[in-house]
Amino acid sequence: MEDKRRRARVQGAWAGTTRAVSRPAVDPVIKPQPKTNRPENPGRNFLYKEPTEAYRRAPEPRVIDVAGVHEISISSAGVSRLRLVPLFIEPKEAGWMFEQLLQEIPWNQKTNMGPDGQYQEPRLTCWYGELPYTYSRSTMQPNPHWHPLLTMLKDRIEEVTGYSFNSLLCNLYRHDKDSIDWHSDDEPALGRNPVIASLSLGDTRTFQMRKKPPPEENGDYTYVERVHIPLAHGTLLLMEGATQEDWQHRVPKEYHDRRPRINLTFRTMLPETTAVHC
Ligand SMILES: O=C(O)CCC(=O)C(=O)O
C-alpha cells in the first residue's frame, strides 16, 4: 500500500523529469524520545564549579540627615568626623542672604586643565583669601575684598565651632546640571587633617561621600562605603579629622529640576606652600 502510493506520486509530480530522485533505502522512522533532563548536546560536560570568590554586594549608602556629630570611619590617619547643623541660619535670614550673595558675589566660570585638555567647570565660583588657590592646574588669584556678609558669616561660624578660617571658596550651582566631581580637599596648602566648614543656601542638593579604597582594590571604588547628606537651605556641615585623607566627596548632577544653590566652604590656607588640588 505504502509502495503503491509512492509510485503514484513519482508518476504524477515528477514523472516528466529525467533526474533520478534520491531517497533513502529505508524511510527514517522518528521514534518518540523519552523526556530527560540531560543536556541536548551529550558531547559537552556541564560541571558545577564552586565559586572561588565570595559574592560581593556594594553597601547601601548611609544617609546622614540628623543634627549632631557623626564619626564615619577610623583608620591610621585618625577619625573622620562630620558635624551636621541643619538650620544653622534660620530660613527667614537665609532667604535674604541667599538673594544678596547671588546678586553681589562676582561669580565667574573657571577654566581647568584636564587629561583631555581645557574644560569649563559646570558651576560658578569665587575665591576669597590673601593667598592664591590652585586646583586642576588653574589658579584663582588672591582676593582680599571680602563681601561684608561673608565676613559676618565667617565670624558666626568661627564663634560657634571654635575654629578659625582665612579663606573661602564660594560655589554657585545654577541648576540641576551644575555639579562638582569626586575630590578631596587635601591640597598641601590646607595642611594635615584640615577642617572645612561648608554652609549651604538655596535649593537642597545631595552631598555624596565615598571612602577611599584600600590598596588591594587598585583604585576600584565599587564596594566602598558611601554616605549621602542632603544639604538644605541654612545647613552647616563641618568636616574634621581624617575626612579629607580617607574620603572623597561630590555634588552630582540631578535628574530633576533644581533651583540655584550657593555653597560656602571656609578653609584655612597655610602660607608659603603651593596648593595642588586634583
Ligand atoms: O557644594 C558643596 O556642598 C561641596 C563643595 C565642594 O566640594 C568644594 O568646594 O570643595
Side-chain angles (χ1 to χ4, degrees):
M1 179 72 178
E2 176 63 23
D3 191 47
K4 203 173 160 190
R5 207 183 292 143
R6 196 184 302 137
R7 262 187 281 118
R9 247 193 257 136
V10 170
Q11 284 163 7
W14 299 308
T17 69
T18 51
R19 223 164 358 121
V21 177
S22 88
R23 60 185 64 255
V26 180
D27 274 355
V29 178
I30 299 168
K31 286 191 197 149
Q33 298 293 309
K35 281 190 180 161
T36 79
N37 289 331
R38 256 187 264 136
E40 281 183 8
N41 182 349
R44 289 176 65 195
N45 284 334
F46 289 86
L47 291 176
Y48 173 73
K49 278 197 193 144
E50 195 74 42
T52 50
E53 282 176 27
Y55 174 69
R56 293 178 80 188
R57 187 191 287 267
E60 286 294 310
R62 170 179 171 188
V63 177
I64 296 183
D65 55 4
V66 292
V69 180
H70 305 270
E71 292 192 349
I72 53 173
S73 65
I74 181 153
S75 73
S76 57
V79 175
S80 294
R81 190 180 299 110
L82 305 176
R83 289 175 201 262
L84 187 66
V85 191
L87 301 176
F88 178 77
I89 309 283
E90 293 292 328
K92 222 171 81 186
E93 260 196 313
W96 69 258
M97 288 179 179
F98 171 77
E99 291 301 333
Q100 197 171 334
L101 296 176
L102 185 63
Q103 299 304 321
E104 298 179 11
I105 285 181
W107 298 106
N108 190 35
Q109 189 163 22
K110 186 169 176 272
T111 302
N112 292 335
M113 186 61 82
D116 301 324
Q118 288 192 336
Y119 68 95
Q120 290 205 304
E121 287 185 332
R123 65 187 178 283
L124 304 184
T125 53
C126 183
W127 173 247
Y128 292 92
E130 301 285 336
L131 296 165
Y133 183 38
T134 301
Y135 67 88
S136 300
R137 289 157 64 196
S138 147
T139 299
M140 301 176 100
Q141 294 307 318
N143 173 16
H145 310 294
W146 287 71
H147 188 290
L149 176 51
L150 295 176
T151 308
M152 190 269 267
L153 287 170
K154 181 168 92 72
D155 291 347
R156 220 195 259 195
I157 291 171
E158 287 178 340
E159 201 183 312
V160 170
T161 64
Y163 292 114
S164 62
F165 304 98
N166 64 11
S167 308
L168 167 63
L169 178 63
C170 307
N171 292 295
L172 171 59
Y173 303 83
R174 296 159 293 181
H175 43 65
D176 40 293
K177 296 296 172 278
D178 271 357
S179 60
I180 188 165
D181 208 355
W182 290 117
H183 69 283
S184 305
D185 298 330
D186 57 359
E187 299 84 12
L190 292 170
R192 197 171 166 268
N193 287 356
V195 175
I196 310 283
S198 153
L199 180 64
S200 293
L201 298 167
D203 210 348
T204 302
R205 294 289 291 263
T206 305
F207 184 78
Q208 299 188 347
M209 304 183 72
R210 64 179 184 182
K211 192 148 190 292
K212 294 182 187 172
E216 61 270 22
E217 296 287 348
N218 298 313
D220 181 358
Y221 280 79
T222 309
Y223 300 106
V224 299
E225 288 170 62
R226 286 164 195 268
V227 172
H228 289 182
I229 310 168
L231 292 180
H233 197 36
T235 300
L236 178 70
L237 174 70
L238 228 63
M239 292 185 269
E240 300 174 81
T243 307
Q244 304 306 322
E245 187 154 341
D246 286 348
W247 293 76
Q248 287 190 331
H249 56 266
R250 73 168 178 176
V251 175
K253 296 181 196 314
E254 299 278 349
Y255 295 104
H256 299 288
D257 288 354
R258 289 289 182 279
R259 283 169 289 114
R261 165 180 184 258
I262 291 174
N263 176 255
L264 309 174
T265 53
F266 295 90
R267 304 128 187 263
T268 299
M269 298 281 287
L270 307 175
E272 311 287 323
T273 48
T274 312
V276 181
H277 191 106
C278 309

